[in-house]
Amino acid sequence: MTEKATAPVEGANDLSMAVLNAIQNPVILVDENGFVAFANWEAESFFGASANHLARHDISAFIPFGSPLLTLIEQVRERRAAVNEYRVDLSSPRLGADKLVDLYVAPVLSQPGSVVIVFQERSMADKIDRQLTHRAAARSVTGLASMLAHEIKNPLSGIRGAAQLLETSVNDEDRALTRLICDETDRIVSLVDRMEVFSDERPVDRLPLNIHAVLDHVKAIAKAGFARRIRISEHYDPSLPPVFANRDQLVQVFLNLIKNAAEAIGDRADGEILLTTAYRPGIRLSVAGTREKISLPLEFCVHDNGPGVPSDLLPHLFDPFITTKTNGSGLGLALVAKIIGGHGGIVECDSQHSRTTFRVLMPASKGLAADDETPMTKGTNG
Ligand SMILES: Nc1ncnc2c1ncn2[C@@H]1O[C@H](COP(=O)(O)OP(=O)(O)O)[C@@H](O)[C@H]1O
Ligand SMILES: [Mg+2]
């Protein structure tokens, strides 16, 4: 068999390099001897080594001993077909902890024995996934909420009215029962009311807000009530630019988060809630299916040292009706996710034993510098 020599296309090499370097996923080529013959820029930063350094070593020098990636490479060489493997753990002192990746390994047919590996870092994928799930969850509650409002509240007010009428004509013993009917219908009405906020799709007024004023306001509410005995401290970045948001909704978000933190802490004497803010311009998320990269530099966190979120709850935490509390509605975090999503941000939770963090990431308001005083003071009256 004769190989046809292909004439090099002018600039093709530069162009392919530029394309590979533009990809935000680490891409490497492992040759038939196991050497890393090519690495794009993202791969250099992923492995913490230059392409030249990578090229002098066997791939096994860079990944944990016995990693399934080595077996995958073998498989692909043998079968000459691409494979995907999800959630492969590449954590090592070299690559860092929590390096969960999805792998795409494909043979390079023109160079027998060589394979291309594309890494997709899982934490990013999870963030995007989770965010899309939250939005879907919030949407599904939206329909349910408006249905409930119509179909349940009207009959309930009839039931309540009838019980109140009865109350006037029954003996004391039975009056306890009519009271029970009234109390329980009230409870359902208030649940439906709480759900109604989900069906409210009206655009909300937004202003540039000083988040610290919002947090201090929520802290004052908490200290006056449910968190009376819990220490709440804060660690604010004073130079944080304003966030473009609806004040009432943000108050609701942090009230829900701080209330959950206080409930998790319970009566513990050493319970503590910490509020932190930070500016992290480096956080950029790719939006699946688009070329868009969103930057969410404003970070607001609520930390607590309660017992943590049960690990089986974590994947569903922001879904509606997820609760571990006897009197919980499970709507608090679903509402948080809906509001933050509506503001173009995301919310996520990290929870380890006695260290739980709810992290809200928000876009910076356009055209407002950190020292833009006027709109800051306008939006904050708390
Ligand atoms: N800071 C936290 N620490 C531990 N668990 C939490 C925390 N925040 C939320 N959770 C868990 O998430 C569940 C859902 O919270 P939420 O949506 O606010 O509903 P609810 O508070 O009505 O239960 C809670 O029942 C609890 O199990
Ligand atoms: Mg709650």
Side-chain angles (χ1 to χ4, degrees):
M1 200 171 82
T2 50
E3 291 252 287
K4 222 202 261 167
T6 42
V9 180
E10 189 75 36
N13 213 23
D14 286 353
L15 181 63
S16 3
M17 287 297 287
V19 169
L20 283 162
N21 283 330
I23 294 175
Q24 294 295 313
N25 293 79
V27 178
I28 61 172
L29 175 75
V30 174
D31 69 13
E32 73 272 28
N33 301 314
F35 281 67
V36 184
F38 170 83
N40 70 350
W41 289 346
E42 201 62 33
E44 291 182 330
S45 77
F46 182 79
F47 287 105
S50 69
N52 280 337
H53 180 82
L54 286 164
R56 286 197 298 275
H57 293 84
D58 193 288
I59 173 78
S60 58
F62 300 102
I63 57 177
F65 178 75
S67 169
L69 176 54
L70 296 175
T71 331
L72 276 179
I73 295 175
E74 275 316 308
Q75 259 183 35
V76 170
R77 281 182 182 143
E78 273 168 32
R79 290 205 226 138
R80 289 168 169 257
V83 290
N84 285 312
E85 182 85 16
Y86 299 98
R87 299 190 146 270
V88 176
D89 191 358
L90 290 184
S91 309
S92 69
R94 175 178 195 109
L95 298 179
D98 279 341
K99 275 280 184 224
L100 264 197
V101 294
D102 292 342
L103 294 172
Y104 171 73
V105 187
V108 180
L109 297 172
S110 62
Q111 299 187 34
S114 290
V115 297
V116 170
I117 307 171
V118 183
F119 301 78
Q120 163 86 47
E121 274 198 75
R122 197 63 213 192
S123 48
M124 205 62 109
D126 279 348
K127 262 186 205 161
I128 296 163
D129 272 11
R130 261 182 287 153
Q131 193 52 28
L132 295 176
T133 338
H134 304 166
R135 288 193 185 159
R139 262 200 305 277
S140 70
V141 189
T142 306
L144 185 61
S146 43
M147 186 276 283
L148 282 182
H150 288 109
E151 302 299 321
I152 293 191
K153 272 169 86 175
N154 291 342
L156 272 182
S157 67
I159 294 174
R160 197 183 193 287
Q164 262 176 326
L165 271 180
L166 276 178
E167 201 170 348
T168 56
S169 60
V170 295
N171 61 31
D172 285 351
E173 207 178 311
D174 289 343
R175 195 160 301 128
L177 294 177
T178 53
R179 277 268 33 107
L180 184 78
I181 296 173
C182 290
D183 291 348
E184 291 299 287
T185 45
D186 287 348
R187 207 166 60 83
I188 301 173
V189 169
S190 89
L191 174 67
V192 174
D193 282 343
R194 259 179 293 157
M195 290 190 53
E196 257 180 310
V197 295
F198 283 97
S199 59
D200 195 347
E201 292 286 308
R202 283 171 305 178
V204 290
D205 290 338
R206 296 192 196 169
L207 287 170
L209 298 176
N210 177 345
I211 188 66
H212 302 141
V214 172
L215 291 175
D216 286 343
H217 175 69
V218 176
K219 177 179 166 180
I221 300 174
K223 287 304 278 184
F226 59 85
R228 210 171 297 120
R229 275 180 286 276
I230 297 174
R231 215 169 80 144
I232 304 183
S233 42
E234 55 275 325
H235 195 278
Y236 294 159
D237 175 351
S239 66
L240 206 68
V243 56
F244 193 65
N246 178 273
R247 186 171 186 280
D248 290 342
Q249 291 198 334
L250 275 199
V251 166
Q252 180 80 62
V253 162
F254 290 100
L255 207 51
N256 287 3
L257 293 178
I258 295 177
K259 189 150 192 287
N260 280 345
E263 286 166 353
I265 287 168
D267 304 328
R268 286 170 50 155
D270 62 341
E272 189 181 357
I273 296 172
L274 173 65
L275 310 176
T276 62
T277 64
Y279 191 68
R280 302 197 190 285
I283 300 190
R284 289 161 71 81
L285 298 180
S286 329
V287 183
T290 72
R291 272 193 285 163
E292 201 186 340
K293 273 233 162 185
I294 48 169
S295 174
L296 302 172
L298 304 179
E299 181 193 88
F300 319 136
C301 297
V302 177
H303 313 262
D304 71 73
N305 61 351
V309 180
S311 58
D312 55 335
L313 211 64
L314 269 178
H316 315 288
L317 199 57
F318 294 91
D319 290 353
F321 311 117
I322 296 289
T323 180
T324 52
K325 299 166 194 166
T326 22
N327 287 317
S329 64
L331 290 174
L333 290 178
L335 186 59
V336 167
K338 176 181 157 84
I339 292 175
I340 297 302
H343 281 78
I346 69 173
V347 52
E348 52 182 24
C349 170
D350 280 333
S351 187
Q352 274 145 26
H353 191 68
S354 79
R355 193 82 248 164
T356 299
T357 299
F358 281 85
R359 179 175 291 113
V360 172
L361 301 173
M362 297 271 270
S365 42
K366 286 189 191 69
L368 283 166
D371 52 359
D372 206 336
E373 286 294 335
T374 341
M376 280 274 276
T377 39
K378 212 165 104 197
T380 57
N381 41 21

